[in-house]
Amino acid sequence: MNRRNFVGLVAGGAAALYAEQVMAAVAGAKIKAIAFDGFTVFDARPVAALAERVFPGRGEEMNALWRTRQFEYTWLRTVGHRYVDFWQVTEEALTFSCTSLKLELTKADRDRLMQSYLGLKAWPDALEALKGLKASGLRLAFLSNFTVAMLDQAVKNSGLEGIFDDHLSTDRVRAFKPDPRAYGMAINAFGLRKEEIAFAAFGGWDAMGAKWFGYQTFWVNRAHAVTEHLGVVPDGVGSDLNDLAMFVQARRK
């Protein structure tokens, strides 16, 4: 929305003046830090490949249901105030998916599929893009549903040590995204105004949640998915972290 349309929605001279001030503040806010969803950096395709090896001809179907249920369970547990960490959610979603599809899940295969989440590595574009963002003076942190142990292992697997300030796991607030308590962790960790923080989302729903919260939001749309219809749009969209870097640098000038 441009300045004129925004102000036009506000009735009264005093309200319009306030709206102008808010828009000016947001437009003038330079990005000083970026919070990343884990999947923007770490490639989960090997999990899907393993699922196909475990369940030949059914792996794609199982993995799609597993991923869907994984996030549906995070939302249900947050709304229902029944928080458990993402590792447990992932295992529960795996069990449901195999049961639903009438696939026999042995203990050995369950362990293999779960451990694949501890084998995640960065997308090919991630390392150089992240190094460039770090070198430019930006502060970087994960803001993820992943547990700290999952993030630590993926960082180690990918050779990304020293790039991120902190791991803001939703375990800290016991609420998964898109709960505002989850997004709010970055404000406290960075000590910045929300307008000075960019959020890099992998899922379209996560981009919407961060935008609702008030972050400058970039959707790393690696899957080329359709934008969610939830009344807002991301500030920027691209296919990898190089596109994110261009977006952020443009907002720092």
Side-chain angles (χ1 to χ4, degrees), residues 164-182:
F164 294 94
D165 284 10
D166 209 348
H167 294 340
L168 305 177
S169 167
T170 51
D171 290 347
R172 290 192 182 192
V173 293
R174 297 186 65 79
F176 292 108
K177 296 178 293 179
D179 191 290
R181 288 171 291 176

Side-chain angles (χ1 to χ4, degrees), residues 31 36 42 49-50 56 96 99 120 130 133 140-141 155 185 193 211 224-225 240 242-243:
I31 293 173
F36 292 82
F42 303 121
L50 176 60
F96 170 87
T99 302
L120 298 184
L130 291 169
L133 290 167
L140 313 178
V155 165
M185 291 189 293
R193 294 182 295 119
K211 186 63 180 172
H224 305 289
D240 60 27
N242 293 312
D243 293 336

Side-chain angles (χ1 to χ4, degrees), residues 198-247:
F199 182 79
F202 178 81
W205 63 268
D206 200 10
M208 300 301 99
K211 186 63 180 172
W212 283 339
F213 185 77
Y215 288 140
Q216 298 191 57
T217 303
F218 188 88
W219 183 17
V220 185
N221 187 10
R222 294 184 183 274
H224 305 289
V226 176
T227 304
E228 303 289 348
H229 287 244
L230 290 170
V232 294
V233 295
D235 297 288
V237 180
S239 60
D240 60 27
L241 295 189
N242 293 312
D243 293 336
L244 168 66
M246 288 190 289
F247 166 82

Side-chain angles (χ1 to χ4, degrees), residues 9-121:
L9 293 174
V10 184
L17 177 59
Y18 175 74
E20 286 278 3
Q21 292 170 341
V22 170
M23 288 298 291
V26 172
K30 293 183 178 181
I31 293 173
K32 298 179 180 178
I34 309 174
F36 292 82
D37 175 65
F39 287 116
T40 62
V41 176
F42 303 121
D43 181 3
R45 289 177 298 179
V47 177
L50 176 60
E52 183 60 31
R53 292 197 297 274
V54 172
F55 301 113
R58 303 291 302 280
E60 182 177 355
E61 179 185 17
M62 192 285 290
N63 186 64
L65 182 57
W66 184 15
R67 284 293 296 273
T68 298
R69 235 359 170 247
Q70 196 178 39
F71 288 99
E72 288 176 347
Y73 278 2
T74 66
W75 304 328
L76 287 168
R77 285 190 168 278
T78 298
V79 171
H81 303 287
R82 294 292 187 271
Y83 188 87
V84 297
D85 69 27
F86 193 67
W87 184 260
Q88 182 172 332
V89 165
T90 299
E91 186 169 9
E92 291 170 345
L94 173 60
T95 300
F96 170 87
S97 301
C98 291
T99 302
S100 177
L101 297 174
K102 296 180 172 56
L103 297 171
E104 182 182 357
L105 180 65
T106 66
K107 183 180 183 304
D109 287 337
R110 179 198 305 272
D111 290 345
R112 288 173 66 201
L113 287 162
M114 287 297 298
Q115 288 299 312
S116 67
Y117 270 92
L118 295 180
L120 298 184
K121 296 181 180 180

